[in-house]
Amino acid sequence: MSKSNLKQIKQKLEDERLLLIEKLKGNDLSIDDSETPDPVDLAVRNYSKNVQLAVSENESRQLTLIDEALRRIDDDEYGVCLNCEKPINPKRLAAIPWARYCIECQELVEQGLIDDEE
Ligand SMILES: [Zn+2]
């Protein structure tokens, strides 16, 4: 995985994270693509508001996956399947940047054949 690809993925994860945090707050989304708010500032602000609110299970789970993926990028472990430890297909990562497993292992997880770590 090239550095610039990784940077793009990281950006995508961070954008998605902010969107989720907005959703979890239960607010209407009014994201203007032409605006580029400081992501750190936004994240901090949204996070502190967010903690007091009830969160939807799916969205908070996805937020966890996104946080995990961001941590793996920082740890240089991103893009590797958590089960078979093979590289995950870049196309899959482009579509689902928070994917934990390669396609083969994801199917096994969905069939209950391997344990999804949690
Ligand atoms: Zn795998």
Side-chain angles (χ1 to χ4, degrees):
M1 170 108 23
S2 77
K3 276 234 160 83
S4 66
N5 269 352
L6 207 54
K7 211 175 150 187
Q8 270 182 8
I9 285 175
K10 192 170 181 183
Q11 184 62 53
K12 195 168 168 179
L13 284 165
E14 281 169 351
D15 288 348
E16 192 67 32
R17 189 167 168 273
L18 290 179
L19 280 174
L20 271 176
I21 291 170
E22 284 291 328
K23 267 198 212 165
L24 289 169
K25 282 185 345 187
N27 288 348
D28 286 333
L29 287 180
S30 52
I31 300 282
D32 184 349
D33 281 339
S34 64
E35 270 200 349
T36 50
D38 184 324
V40 175
D41 189 19
L42 261 183
V44 170
R45 210 166 63 208
N46 288 339
Y47 237 148
S48 56
K49 276 190 201 165
N50 185 45
V51 288
Q52 295 156 1
L53 294 163
V55 292
S56 122
E57 211 171 296
N58 271 345
E59 279 154 358
S60 61
R61 175 169 160 76
Q62 195 183 348
L63 198 57
T64 306
L65 292 177
I66 288 174
D67 282 340
E68 257 182 26
L70 286 167
R71 208 162 47 229
R72 288 201 297 273
I73 289 176
D74 286 341
D75 291 346
D76 254 344
E77 290 169 356
Y78 183 75
V80 176
C81 174
L82 292 190
N83 183 57
C84 67
E85 299 184 351
K86 287 180 193 151
I88 300 173
N89 186 322
K91 278 187 192 159
R92 173 166 166 77
L93 289 175
I96 313 171
W98 50 87
R100 286 169 147 179
Y101 302 106
C102 67
I103 291 171
E104 288 81 4
C105 292
Q106 183 64 47
E107 277 176 14
L108 297 177
V109 168
E110 276 159 19
Q111 290 165 22
L113 296 174
I114 53 175
D115 283 331
D116 195 6
E117 288 178 31
E118 199 156 31

